[in-house]
């Protein structure tokens, strides 16, 4: 699948196994979401633009590089919130712009309830953060919002993706790369990813 990047990394796969387990408590679940988000960020930012600089070591000048891009994180509330801290560990200066969407349980369509983006874009690249790409409705709606805002470079960084959601993304926004820890098997009749991990929002916030 073009523009879809399941993680090849054994650390991600190992942590994902613990994350999935029904025995993992909310505290451990939150830690794992943060750690996996950091590892996923390492993979998703491999093509960021840099510029050459010179740094002075205690001995001599050395060639170095500096990030040229202004990075924005867009966690989709609620479940995406838990990924922010992990990404910040690697990109501490990233701006965070929250988008609130929930999925209507009956229609499975996203409903927007929070968006305080300023009029003009303030970043050159955005990473959309959401552990779950199920039908893809929330991710597609968020990309619609970011494109209207004017951001040119958008990436989706998630943990689990269903084939249905990936297909929806590729139909609506084929140029947006999708970084996932893993692609799962299918969606069930309630729109839950199977085998999945349950509800990522409820499991992080202890509301299940
Ligand atoms: C979940 C999940 C995604 C969305 C994925 O959020 O965190 O945002 O559903 O589904 P989709 O791909 O079919 O749109 P949920 O609506 O449960 O809200 P929450 O994060 O507040 O629990």
């Amino acid at each position: 699948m073009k523009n879809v990047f399941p993680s090849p990394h054994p650390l991600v796969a190992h942590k994902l196994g613990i994350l999935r387990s029904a025995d993992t408590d909310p505290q451990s679940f939150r830690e794992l979401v943060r750690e996996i988000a950091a590892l996923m960020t390492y993979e998703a930012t491999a093509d960021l633009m840099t510029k050459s600089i010179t740094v002075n070591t205690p001995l001599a000048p050395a060639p170095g590089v500096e990030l040229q891009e202004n990075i924005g994180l867009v966690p989709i509330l609620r479940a995406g919130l838990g990924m922010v801290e992990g990404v910040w560990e690697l990109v501490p200066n990233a701006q965070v712009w929250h988008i609130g969407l929930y999925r209507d349980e009956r229609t499975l369509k996203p409903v927007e309830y929070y968006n305080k983006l300023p009029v003009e874009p303030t970043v050159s690249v955005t990473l959309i953060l959401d552990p779950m790409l199920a039908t893809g409705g929330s991710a597609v709606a968020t990309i619609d919002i970011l494109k209207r805002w004017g951001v040119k470079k958008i990436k989706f960084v998630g943990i689990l993706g269903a084939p249905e959601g990936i297909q929806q993304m590729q139909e609506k926004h084929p140029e947006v790369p999708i970084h996932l820890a893993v692609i799962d098997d299918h969606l069930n009749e309630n729109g839950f990813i199977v085998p999945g991990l349950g509800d990522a929002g409820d499991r992080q916030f202890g509301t299940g």
Side-chain angles (χ1 to χ4, degrees), residues 76-80 101-105 108-110 113 129-140 156 165 187 191-193 199-202 204-205 207:
I76 302 180
L77 306 179
R78 293 175 301 165
L101 294 174
Y102 71 87
R103 201 170 67 152
D104 183 292
E105 281 178 12
L108 299 184
K109 299 279 181 234
Y113 62 90
L129 308 178
D130 192 333
M132 311 298 271
L133 181 67
T135 65
S138 305
V140 165
F156 180 88
L187 290 183
F192 271 74
I193 300 175
D199 185 310
D202 283 341
Q204 285 180 77
F205 296 109
T207 51

Side-chain angles (χ1 to χ4, degrees), residues 1 4-7 16 20 133 159-164 166 178-186 193-196:
M1 264 180 285
V4 183
F5 305 97
S7 175
L16 180 64
R20 283 189 193 275
L133 181 67
I159 296 180
L160 295 186
E164 293 87 337
I166 293 170
I178 304 170
H179 294 270
L180 295 166
V182 74
I183 300 173
D184 259 10
D185 193 63
H186 67 280
I193 300 175
V194 181

Side-chain angles (χ1 to χ4, degrees), residues 66-187:
E66 208 173 65
L67 275 182
Q68 249 194 324
E69 311 218 51
N70 205 359
I71 299 165
L73 311 181
V74 181
I76 302 180
L77 306 179
R78 293 175 301 165
L81 273 183
M83 298 177 71
V84 172
E85 291 288 339
V87 184
W88 260 342
E89 282 172 19
L90 302 189
V91 197
N93 295 329
Q95 299 177 16
V96 179
W97 296 104
H98 303 87
I99 300 284
L101 294 174
Y102 71 87
R103 201 170 67 152
D104 183 292
E105 281 178 12
R106 198 174 45 80
T107 63
L108 299 184
K109 299 279 181 234
V111 180
E112 185 178 333
Y113 62 90
Y114 186 80
N115 174 356
K116 289 271 279 179
L117 289 174
V119 178
E120 296 292 327
T122 54
V123 294
S124 61
V125 52
T126 53
L127 306 181
I128 297 174
L129 308 178
D130 192 333
M132 311 298 271
L133 181 67
T135 65
S138 305
V140 165
T142 303
I143 297 168
D144 289 339
I145 292 167
L146 294 178
K147 283 186 174 175
R148 281 199 297 275
W149 193 37
V151 182
K152 298 278 180 289
K153 221 163 140 182
I154 301 169
K155 293 164 180 262
F156 180 88
V157 182
I159 296 180
L160 295 186
E164 293 87 337
I166 293 170
Q167 190 184 341
Q168 166 86 334
M169 284 274 279
Q170 294 197 317
E171 279 168 23
K172 301 281 169 45
H173 299 294
E175 78 290 0
V176 174
I178 304 170
H179 294 270
L180 295 166
V182 74
I183 300 173
D184 259 10
D185 193 63
H186 67 280
L187 290 183

